[in-house]
């Protein structure tokens, strides 16, 4: 029997590539979003604010991958935007929970996208794992509330796994695109002190991890979606410059400048955390990219 996977947030960076990889492996894939889209992939509509979902969206589905949520780095963190970031995750997860509770379905596995923001910002080199305490900043409170809502799925006898995603490196957008742009122009520089740790993961490895979780019935609970070796912001910037054959001659851009430019959201850049991939490795998952230099080369060479 062919496994059927329903993906929310499927038009984003991760959802787009994950869809491609699942189809290549022979899965049936469908999407759930705010509008119905024409194309080869079946799509269904939900309205999170009205807590409505097309009941046909769950028909024949075996696995749900829940990626939906307002982009954390898309806009300045105004009070309204903070509310959006939180509610988009809480309310969408609640809608899926209530729908699975009310509509007869064959879903046996639920894979929720979480984030290493769970652990908060830690300027030390302390290695944090899935059992570490959560932080107390804005993002931490969002992720903790999000994971608590995800835990409801276990009440429905669904296998639940949460992937705490790190900084995703992709040629299609995200952190790598933002960091490489000034480097290409010859004005790249480390951000903040440059010493803050970046717990990164190549987009291919992240999507392969989602597929590993889908396929392995022994995987449940939280897994850190990060490569085994975090690097400093300065090291990542140097890897980009080396690959693009551009000089790095500017001094690090001070954190207070970034805070003036983008407000509290600058914490995403000037602070960091060193996150362990040990539990992910113990599951039997094998990374293709463990060296940031090779990851950056692989991605930027595609462009």
């Amino acid at each position: 029997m062919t496994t059927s996977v329903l993906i929310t947030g499927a038009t984003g960076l991760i959802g787009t590539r994950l869809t491609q990889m699942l189809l290549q492996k022979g899965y049936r894939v469908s999407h759930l979003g705010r509008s119905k889209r024409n194309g080869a992939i079946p799509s269904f509509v939900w309205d999170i604010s009205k807590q409505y979902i097309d009941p046909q969206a769950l028909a024949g589905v075996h696995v749900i991958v829940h990626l939906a949520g307002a982009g954390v780095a898309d806009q300045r963190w105004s009070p309204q935007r903070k509310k959006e970031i939180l509610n988009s995750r809480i309310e969408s997860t609640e809608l899926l929970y209530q729908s699975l509770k009310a509509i007869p379905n064959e879903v046996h596995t639920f894979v929720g996208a979480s984030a290493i923001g769970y652990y908060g910002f830690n300027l030390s080199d302390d290695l944090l794992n899935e059992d570490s305490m959560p932080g107390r900043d804005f993002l931490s409170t969002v992720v903790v509330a999000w994971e608590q809502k995800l835990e409801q799925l276990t009440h429905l006898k669904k296998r639940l796994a949460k992937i705490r995603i790190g900084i995703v490196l992709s040629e299609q957008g995200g952190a790598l695109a933002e960091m490489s742009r000034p480097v290409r122009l010859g004005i790249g520089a480390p951000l903040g002190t440059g010493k803050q740790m970046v717990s990164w993961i190549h987009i291919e490895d992240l999507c392969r991890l989602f597929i590993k979780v889908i396929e392995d019935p022994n995987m449940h609970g939280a897994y850190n979606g990060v490569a085994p070796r975090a690097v400093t912001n300065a090291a990542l910037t140097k890897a980009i410059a080396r690959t693009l054959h551009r000089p790095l001659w500017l001094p690090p851009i001070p954190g207070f400048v970034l805070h003036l430019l983008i407000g509290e959201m600058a914490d995403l850049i000037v602070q960091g955390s060193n996150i362990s991939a040990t539990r992910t490795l113990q599951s039997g998952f094998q990374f293709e990219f463990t060296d940031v230099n090779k990851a950056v080369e692989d991605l930027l060479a595609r462009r």
Side-chain angles (χ1 to χ4, degrees), residues 85-97:
I85 289 170
L86 175 63
N87 290 348
S88 65
R89 287 160 173 79
I90 299 301
E91 293 174 2
S92 62
T93 306
E94 178 66 18
L95 175 54
L96 289 169
Y97 169 71

Side-chain angles (χ1 to χ4, degrees), residues 21 44 52 66 74 94 116 131 138 141 152-153 160 163 171 182 199 204 212 218 258 267 269:
M21 292 173 70
F44 300 92
Y52 166 80
H66 184 30
D74 291 355
E94 178 66 18
I116 60 170
D131 295 325
F138 164 65
T141 59
Q152 289 184 122
L153 275 301
L160 172 66
I163 299 181
E171 76 278 20
S199 293
E204 298 291 302
K212 163 75 170 166
N218 294 315
L258 294 166
D267 285 342
I269 303 167

Side-chain angles (χ1 to χ4, degrees), residues 228-275:
R229 292 193 296 274
V231 295
T232 63
N233 176 272
L236 177 55
T237 307
K238 286 176 183 175
I240 294 168
R242 188 182 305 113
T243 301
L244 296 176
H245 306 291
R246 295 290 191 274
L248 285 180
W249 56 275
L250 290 172
I253 299 172
F256 77 86
V257 173
L258 294 166
H259 276 96
L260 287 173
L261 291 172
I262 59 175
E264 186 183 353
M265 193 169 67
D267 285 342
L268 290 172
I269 303 167
V270 301
Q271 302 201 57
S273 50
N274 189 12
I275 308 300

Side-chain angles (χ1 to χ4, degrees), residues 107-129:
V107 175
H108 55 71
T109 298
F110 193 103
V111 187
S114 185
I116 60 170
Y118 176 92
Y119 305 104
F121 300 114
N122 184 0
L123 292 177
S124 74
D125 291 336
D126 294 345
L127 193 61
L128 305 175
N129 62 36

Side-chain angles (χ1 to χ4, degrees), residues 53-88:
I53 187 172
D54 181 344
Q56 290 303 307
L58 298 177
V61 171
H62 305 113
V63 178
I64 293 177
V65 177
H66 184 30
L67 303 173
V72 170
D74 291 355
Q75 298 177 27
R76 196 181 181 100
W77 288 353
S78 65
Q80 179 60 32
R81 183 59 178 174
K82 283 185 171 184
K83 189 176 177 182
E84 261 181 74
I85 289 170
L86 175 63
N87 290 348
S88 65

Side-chain angles (χ1 to χ4, degrees), residues 200-235:
W200 60 278
I201 187 168
H202 191 295
I203 183 71
E204 298 291 302
D205 276 338
L206 178 59
C207 292
R208 287 176 56 250
L209 177 57
F210 270 96
I211 294 171
K212 163 75 170 166
V213 171
I214 290 169
E215 295 179 344
D216 188 343
N218 294 315
M219 293 183 74
H220 57 84
Y223 293 86
N224 291 328
V226 297
R229 292 193 296 274
V231 295
T232 63
N233 176 272

Side-chain angles (χ1 to χ4, degrees), residues 21 202 204-205 208 285-291 294:
M21 292 173 70
H202 191 295
E204 298 291 302
D205 276 338
R208 287 176 56 250
F285 181 76
Q286 296 182 339
F287 288 86
E288 287 186 13
F289 296 93
T290 58
D291 181 275
K294 291 181 179 177

